Amino acid sequence: MAKLPSGFSLQALPIEAALSEGRNEDAKTLLVEILLTGKADGVVQRLAADMLKPPKRKRGRQKSLPRHWWEIGEQYHWMREDGVKYEETLYQLSEKFGYSETHIRKAVAEFDAVKAGQDESTRE
């Protein structure tokens, strides 16, 4: 019989399943039961350590979407379809919304990414 991978543990499967379903108290109960038997393998011990001291969060604020990105994206494309030049479109939108041109570019990029993802999902 072939050797199982090092990260595989039959003891850890119900614990990981409970964690993935958001049943943290059930996972803790299962974890304690296995640890009390004294036969916990390395994967179960790692899960216990992670539950006692979770990994640190990344530093800084979480990334957020540019403000008014949907409205900016829509108006940008409307203006471009009407024949307004790129630089003039950025300038007008930055004046209208009160943001820098960099903010406008990021908002348009986010709008285009969401729109492309939406178009991709509707094609399937």
Side-chain angles (χ1 to χ4, degrees), residues 8-28:
F8 181 80
S9 169
L10 289 175
Q11 292 177 332
L13 285 177
I15 299 168
E16 290 172 337
L19 287 172
S20 69
E21 294 170 0
R23 298 180 293 127
N24 293 339
E25 291 304 315
D26 293 342
K28 288 178 184 177

Side-chain angles (χ1 to χ4, degrees), residues 75 91-99:
Q75 291 185 21
Y91 177 75
Q92 287 182 13
L93 289 175
S94 68
E95 290 295 314
K96 179 177 181 178
F97 287 97
Y99 297 121

Side-chain angles (χ1 to χ4, degrees), residues 24 36 45 47-48 92 99 108:
N24 293 339
L36 287 175
Q45 291 177 18
L47 284 172
Q92 287 182 13
Y99 297 121
V108 171

Side-chain angles (χ1 to χ4, degrees), residues 30-103:
L30 292 168
L31 188 63
V32 168
E33 289 174 3
I34 293 173
L35 289 172
L36 287 175
T37 63
K39 298 179 181 176
D41 60 16
V43 177
V44 173
Q45 291 177 18
R46 181 189 48 80
L47 284 172
D50 286 345
M51 290 180 88
L52 289 174
K53 187 172 182 181
K56 290 185 176 181
R57 290 183 335 155
K58 294 181 180 178
R59 295 186 65 179
R61 288 184 12 183
Q62 293 183 358
K63 181 185 174 210
S64 62
L65 294 173
R67 294 183 148 218
H68 305 288
W69 64 275
W70 187 262
E71 294 88 358
I72 291 171
E74 283 182 328
Q75 291 185 21
Y76 170 83
H77 288 292
W78 291 336
M79 292 173 76
R80 293 292 289 155
E81 288 173 3
D82 290 342
V84 180
K85 293 187 177 191
Y86 176 76
E87 292 83 12
E88 183 62 27
T89 303
L90 290 180
Y91 177 75
Q92 287 182 13
L93 289 175
S94 68
E95 290 295 314
K96 179 177 181 178
F97 287 97
Y99 297 121
S100 67
E101 290 185 10
T102 302
H103 182 94

